[in-house]
Amino acid sequence: MKSSVSTVLRASLLTASTLFALAPSAQGASYSLSDNVVGAGFFDAFNFQAIGDPTHGRVNYVDQATARAQNLTFGSGNTFILRADHTTTLSPGGPGRNSVRIRTNKAYTTHVAVFDIRHMPQACGTWPAVWETKESNWPNGGEIDILEGVNDHGPNQATLHTSSGCTMPASRAQSGNALQNDCNVAVNGNAGCGVQVPSGNSYGPAFNANGGGWYAVERTNSFIKVWFWARNDGSVPSAVRSGASSVNTDSWGTPVAFFPNTQCDLASHFQENNIIINLTFCGDWAGAVFASQGCPGTCEDFVNNPANFANAFFDFAAMRVYT
Ligand SMILES: *[C@@H]1O[C@H](CO)[C@@H](O)[C@H](O)[C@H]1NC(C)=O
Ligand SMILES: *[C@@H]1O[C@H](CO)[C@@H](O)[C@H](O)[C@H]1NC(C)=O
């Protein structure tokens, strides 16, 4: 990461006034494209995780060979599809629905990631997520949930989950609505410090009807920010829209979620994180609120019927990581 302010200029600002010493912590910087992941490139950047769902979902994560053979993943041109099986009727009490969980081979500390998403999984019972963590050292390595929700229920919420000693100030420079301010996984039933995105078209059916949009995350040791621009949002930065070879987050405007380091030492609460994309069903969250969010019958019965999952797919135009 390069500083947005030259060392010389910053030094003179610092001597001019201590007030300026606070300014750089909220500022972004310019970054260069490190991983341009498009179409079939997703197969090289990610590994497939055929693991048991730690959140007890009615899912059967398959390996890459199975995903490709069943066309649950498809990469061509500027399209990468990741979907649930939508042809198999499941037996009650038997294995869950085939789906896919992928994790980047690379891990990142300070970085910007931009996700250009045309469509996200849509159906009652779905629990899709685009997030970052260090699975071998959770929660000490930190977790950033960028896009996550259940049962088609928007808006999106961006959340940090950490070890103890990481809280967020109640008032901060973001357009979203803070839910809880303690990021510690051991409090509030691991709700984390979530921020609800203000726009209804940030998640689920409304996101899809609008052609999706762009999610972006910037992680520095001073702050973590998340932005969302809907497909038709005129304020999307041109470098984000075009997938430019460099980006400068100074010009990106107020983020939907702003997590500063003022009451949380981000450098010690976050380690190298992988980016994970997963799609599970029911389980600890989607299953628990299935009926209260207006979905019919039981989540298990619903998941058994393949016809319900024709739209349970991600369509990524690109994932770009800048460092
Ligand atoms: C899917 O993503 C969410 C993201 O927060 C995570 O809590 C959950 O454990 C993930 N499920 C699986 C099976 O990886
Ligand atoms: C696999 O899925 C893609 C994307 O939906 C589709 O274009 C393609 O025709 C499918 N291939 C087969 C063999 O069904």
Side-chain angles (χ1 to χ4, degrees):
M1 182 185 83
K2 283 173 287 176
S3 169
S4 60
V5 184
S6 78
T7 312
V8 173
L9 177 56
R10 183 178 290 180
S12 66
L13 290 175
L14 288 172
T15 52
S17 163
T18 52
L19 189 61
F20 280 94
L22 297 172
S25 72
Q27 276 180 354
S30 72
Y31 298 80
S32 320
L33 186 59
S34 143
D35 298 288
N36 186 34
V37 183
V38 179
F42 277 78
F43 292 112
D44 301 321
F46 286 86
N47 61 76
F48 284 58
Q49 299 183 284
I51 59 170
D53 182 350
T55 52
H56 314 105
R58 188 153 168 67
V59 72
N60 179 46
Y61 284 123
V62 300
D63 60 19
Q64 180 172 165
T66 308
R68 293 181 92 146
Q70 298 185 355
N71 210 23
L72 303 184
T73 49
F74 171 84
S76 176
N78 65 359
T79 296
F80 177 72
I81 305 287
L82 182 157
R83 71 174 130 233
D85 167 86
H86 61 103
T87 57
T88 309
T89 301
L90 304 182
S91 324
R97 180 156 299 287
N98 281 3
S99 185
V100 179
R101 183 185 208 264
I102 58 177
R103 184 175 77 183
T104 52
N105 297 315
K106 282 198 190 174
Y108 305 93
T109 54
T110 58
H111 69 287
V112 166
V114 176
F115 303 88
D116 183 346
I117 308 174
R118 300 187 187 100
H119 187 281
M120 66 176 291
Q122 178 174 334
C124 272
T126 55
W127 175 0
V130 176
W131 55 302
E132 304 188 352
T133 196
K134 181 182 174 89
E135 290 187 280
S136 60
N137 193 20
W138 189 91
N140 298 323
E143 173 180 337
I144 308 171
D145 299 333
I146 301 157
L147 169 57
E148 186 181 19
V150 295
N151 298 318
D152 291 346
H153 208 78
N156 182 50
Q157 145 187 341
T159 307
L160 304 188
H161 298 265
T162 67
S163 53
S164 65
C166 178
T167 63
M168 292 297 135
S171 169
R172 50 203 211 260
Q174 61 185 13
S175 61
N177 312 308
L179 302 171
Q180 308 279 353
N181 289 324
D182 193 338
C183 310
N184 180 3
V185 299
V187 303
N188 299 322
N190 187 21
C193 48
V195 177
Q196 220 169 42
V197 178
S199 24
N201 58 15
S202 60
Y203 189 86
F207 175 89
N208 293 336
N210 200 37
W214 296 266
Y215 272 94
V217 62
E218 179 182 16
R219 174 180 159 196
T220 74
N221 285 333
S222 306
F223 59 78
I224 292 168
K225 293 179 179 176
V226 175
W227 287 266
F228 169 67
W229 298 279
R231 187 63 64 195
N232 56 350
D233 184 337
S235 70
V236 60
S238 58
V240 169
R241 181 190 294 279
S242 68
S245 59
S246 68
V247 292
N248 189 326
T249 55
D250 283 338
S251 61
W252 285 11
T254 304
V256 294
F258 177 51
F259 304 100
N261 70 341
T262 44
Q263 303 164 26
C264 175
D265 180 20
L266 294 172
S268 64
H269 280 95
F270 284 82
Q271 299 165 350
E272 277 200 324
N273 281 2
N274 299 99
I275 298 168
I276 303 177
I277 301 168
N278 63 355
L279 169 57
T280 189
F281 314 100
C282 309
D284 295 344
W285 188 11
V289 295
F290 186 81
S292 65
Q293 290 188 331
C295 290
T298 68
C299 198
E300 170 159 349
D301 286 346
F302 194 85
V303 170
N304 291 345
N305 180 357
N308 291 328
F309 294 90
N311 290 315
F313 66 93
F314 275 111
D315 179 349
F316 286 90
M319 179 187 87
R320 297 191 172 90
V321 183
Y322 297 83
T323 52

